[in-house]
Amino acid sequence: MSSKDTIIKIDDSRNGRESQKTEINILCLNLTPYSQLTQFLCCCIFVFICYLAYGFYLELIFSDPEVKPVSLYITLVQFIITMALSYVESLIRNPIKRKVPLKIYALLAALTLGTMSLSNLALSYLNYPTQLIFKSCKLIPVMIGSIIILGKRYGFLDYVAAVVMCIGLTMFTLADSMTSPNFDIVGVIVISLALLCDAIIGNVQEKAMKQFQASNNEVVFYSYAIGCVYLVVITGSTGILTKGYVYCSEVGSPLTMYVNIFLLSLSGYLGLQAVLTLVRISGATVAVTVTTMRKALSIIISFVLFSKPFVFQYVWSGMLVALAIYLNHYSKRNPGYVPGIVLACLHYTQSFYQSEYRYLRMKSKIYSDTV
């Protein structure tokens, strides 16, 4: 659910930290009177329950091969529910006041639509664990997008993390291609396009929110509202709107289908709020550790609840991806850090080439004097 993940932007200023100390909540649940440990445990419980539920309903809905032609219709319903939840939150907290120009929201809505619809569609071609591993590897396109769009520079560990992540991702994909009868290379292309949208949307959101001081809820509401307009036009003009309605009416119980989509949207939205609060009270590194553990548990539950072949290569490749995520966030806490052994190797290499250069110059001088 990376479109929502990328919306999370935390104010690290002194005033922001003071306001977070005075009010810690997850939607209507006020955690301020409780200790920091209690707040942390509550957030962890919310993260695990909500995102485990989200993964379950996502695989339950989109793993059916027959949903492939109408996946955009289900994404439309998901957009409408998320927009409604965002509006309800604004009624509970503060009214939404638009600060970002509509043309920027039009771009954000298109990118949000791209990342969510492509991520959902990818489940028709790939196992959920593989899709989740790919979504965990958005560091790679985000780094590329940040360098191109924002002109950012990254440290040594960031590039090491990207390389390790590529290796883990390749190993996981190869394991899936060897064991899954439903594996399709089209799924890899689709999820890669979703990650590309992720890379762009994260950087555009960061730039817009810093420039216009927009709230999280404002960005969520307008991105999904305009995305709904796009989806209505696309599904209406292509006939997917009618086909999707017929599909949801005929597959099992229509009420069950729409309840599943509602629970999918609700669990994802509540999980977003839990992660946001967790970052505020414990920091980004702790939050990433918790969400990484959640993703690992989601993969385990997926293998247990939805029958699929398993090989131990899944474990090794998943551990490599987790290591890359840790290296990336360690680099954020220690920018410019380079391991001592790497510095020693660089120093040795530099000294070696300098000595070789001096030796060659001396030899050349002796030769010229002899001649």
Side-chain angles (χ1 to χ4, degrees), residues 9 70 78 155 263 290:
K9 303 294 177 186
V70 297
Q78 189 178 358
L263 293 175
V290 173

PDB file of all heavy atoms in Angstrom, residues 9 70 78 155 263 290:
ATOM      1  N   LYS A   9       4.493  12.007   6.059  1.00  0.00           N
ATOM      2  CA  LYS A   9       5.586  12.948   6.190  1.00  0.00           C
ATOM      3  C   LYS A   9       5.537  13.508   7.597  1.00  0.00           C
ATOM      4  O   LYS A   9       4.515  14.044   8.026  1.00  0.00           O
ATOM      5  CB  LYS A   9       5.458  14.102   5.176  1.00  0.00           C
ATOM      6  CG  LYS A   9       5.401  13.622   3.734  1.00  0.00           C
ATOM      7  CD  LYS A   9       6.698  12.997   3.316  1.00  0.00           C
ATOM      8  CE  LYS A   9       6.605  12.461   1.900  1.00  0.00           C
ATOM      9  NZ  LYS A   9       7.788  11.726   1.532  1.00  0.00           N
ATOM     10  N   VAL A  70     -11.492  -6.836 -14.233  1.00  0.00           N
ATOM     11  CA  VAL A  70     -12.315  -5.823 -13.545  1.00  0.00           C
ATOM     12  C   VAL A  70     -11.605  -5.270 -12.311  1.00  0.00           C
ATOM     13  O   VAL A  70     -12.245  -4.699 -11.432  1.00  0.00           O
ATOM     14  CB  VAL A  70     -13.683  -6.417 -13.140  1.00  0.00           C
ATOM     15  CG1 VAL A  70     -14.479  -6.825 -14.365  1.00  0.00           C
ATOM     16  CG2 VAL A  70     -13.515  -7.607 -12.195  1.00  0.00           C
ATOM     17  N   GLN A  78     -12.457   0.966  -3.763  1.00  0.00           N
ATOM     18  CA  GLN A  78     -11.462   1.193  -2.713  1.00  0.00           C
ATOM     19  C   GLN A  78     -11.132   2.684  -2.595  1.00  0.00           C
ATOM     20  O   GLN A  78     -10.996   3.217  -1.480  1.00  0.00           O
ATOM     21  CB  GLN A  78     -10.198   0.393  -3.036  1.00  0.00           C
ATOM     22  CG  GLN A  78      -9.167   0.360  -1.914  1.00  0.00           C
ATOM     23  CD  GLN A  78      -7.958  -0.487  -2.282  1.00  0.00           C
ATOM     24  OE1 GLN A  78      -7.905  -1.083  -3.350  1.00  0.00           O
ATOM     25  NE2 GLN A  78      -6.978  -0.527  -1.396  1.00  0.00           N
ATOM     26  N   GLY A 155      24.581   8.390   0.571  1.00  0.00           N
ATOM     27  CA  GLY A 155      25.832   7.918   1.128  1.00  0.00           C
ATOM     28  C   GLY A 155      26.177   6.513   0.691  1.00  0.00           C
ATOM     29  O   GLY A 155      25.425   5.850  -0.045  1.00  0.00           O
ATOM     30  N   LEU A 263     -13.527  -3.618   4.236  1.00  0.00           N
ATOM     31  CA  LEU A 263     -12.568  -3.998   5.281  1.00  0.00           C
ATOM     32  C   LEU A 263     -11.131  -3.825   4.792  1.00  0.00           C
ATOM     33  O   LEU A 263     -10.244  -3.465   5.573  1.00  0.00           O
ATOM     34  CB  LEU A 263     -12.810  -5.441   5.720  1.00  0.00           C
ATOM     35  CG  LEU A 263     -14.138  -5.692   6.458  1.00  0.00           C
ATOM     36  CD1 LEU A 263     -14.323  -7.174   6.745  1.00  0.00           C
ATOM     37  CD2 LEU A 263     -14.191  -4.892   7.759  1.00  0.00           C
ATOM     38  N   VAL A 290       9.254  -2.314  13.050  1.00  0.00           N
ATOM     39  CA  VAL A 290       7.941  -2.907  13.323  1.00  0.00           C
ATOM     40  C   VAL A 290       7.244  -3.288  12.023  1.00  0.00           C
ATOM     41  O   VAL A 290       6.703  -4.401  11.889  1.00  0.00           O
ATOM     42  CB  VAL A 290       7.071  -1.937  14.144  1.00  0.00           C
ATOM     43  CG1 VAL A 290       5.646  -2.476  14.286  1.00  0.00           C
ATOM     44  CG2 VAL A 290       7.677  -1.714  15.528  1.00  0.00           C
TER      45      VAL A 290
END
